[in-house]
Amino acid sequence: MKNLSIRVKITMWFTLILVFITSCTYVIVFSVNRQLMQKTIRDELIRTVEDNVDEVEYYKNIGKIDPQEVDYYMAFRGGYLEIDDDFLDKVNEVYTSLYSEDVTLLYGENPISRQTADLEFADAKIQHLTVNDTLYYIFDRKLVLEGLEGLWLRGVVSENQGMTQMAAITQLLLLFLPLFVVLAVIGGYLFARRMLRPIQEISESAARIGDSGDLKERIELGGGNDELHQLAASFNEMFQRLEDAFETERQFTSDASHELRTPISVITAQCEMTLEETRSVEEYKLALRTIQRQGRKMSKLINDMLDFTRLEMRAESYTRESVDMTELVRSVCFDMALIKEKNITLKCDVQEGVRMQGNRQLLSRLLANLISNAYRYGRDDGCILVGLKLVGQGTELSVCDNGIGILPEEQTKIFRRFYQADNSHSGLGTGLGLSMAYEIAQFHGGEIRVESEPGKGSKFTVILKN
Ligand code: ADP
């Protein structure tokens, strides 16, 4: 059963239900029909006998009988019985016969006269008698004639009479119901196959994409907006996201190897050059300092890459708690003010009691990245202003400097990974600081933007949701 296709399973269920419904219909039709048939037979019997009641007359004397007369006359108890020619002794398989009180058949037909010989007359009542496995209905009427008593009309009809009609209906049902079931099953199977074809296409496309690994492929179902088209659209969206993720991953790996190649080349070149001949102590020291600087750069790059990857790929590993932002900003500013690079002054203007839900480590990192950039791209004797305040539904964190500024065309690019607008000032920069800040802002449901004027300075503003 498990290995059967959905198409076949649906058809099987459909067939079972149909056969069940058909059988029920058959049973219901059969029993209702039988009851109706029995009632019709009994009604017919009563009507025929009642119609015959007035067709029998008794005369003490009659004159000369007209030779044209077609009615039947018989001598009875010193008089005559006249049986009208309208007397129905056999109509629609209903037999009517005239009896005397001692159950002597006087006129008419009775197919079971022998068996009913002992059956007492019961006026206007239906009696049953089974003869040779056939059920007979018997209806008696006592005749009240002028001058004569003790005559009975007895009507007899067998149930077989109705059963022949029932058998015809049953045969029709037996022929047409299975035919109807077969037609419905074939129709249902074709319909299910047509309806489920898109699923087959989806599964084939998914298998093809899985085999070829080509995430650019999409499932094409043509026009429509039913559940299957929506499913295909969801698959396509998933492939798009996978493709984006792989592309990002590929780009990241290529950028990372590119960034690592520079310090490695510098170290290798420095070593080769220094080892070419015997050098003075000062020259060796110079070479070692270059190697040390490049080593630090590599180390920072690797750490930044690891942090960045963790935030991008496993953001859920960073927990959220209630963070006292006032205290956090003050503490980071206090630590970073100690840098005192280029004689830059760091000030902070912080609103009291600002709290938000977030990750303390990431928020410190965000602020530290922005402040290090402000130092790195700041001017000698310049200043940095860090601000924190509550705005609307969020918290606004800003870092403003009066450094070299950023060209307008660069301002949208600086948040990209490894993008460095100004190499001359980048020093130990890796090009990951702002993209990391961007990711951290996103993690907190916030955003980051820059306002800057070349030669005058830059202001980075982060809006974080509380
Ligand atoms: P980097 O490690 O090179 O600083 P970032 O991602 O932190 O990398 O910054 C990307 C680029 O944005 C920098 O190379 C620099 O050109 C520019 N930038 C960032 N902050 C500032 C700033 N405060 N003033 C001027 N330029 C900046």
Side-chain angles (χ1 to χ4, degrees), residues 373 376-377 401 405-406 414 419-422 429-431 433-434 458 460:
N373 278 353
R376 194 175 301 146
Y377 306 103
D401 65 63
I406 308 161
I414 52 175
Y419 191 84
Q420 294 185 304
D422 186 331
T430 57
L434 282 183
S458 314
F460 285 86

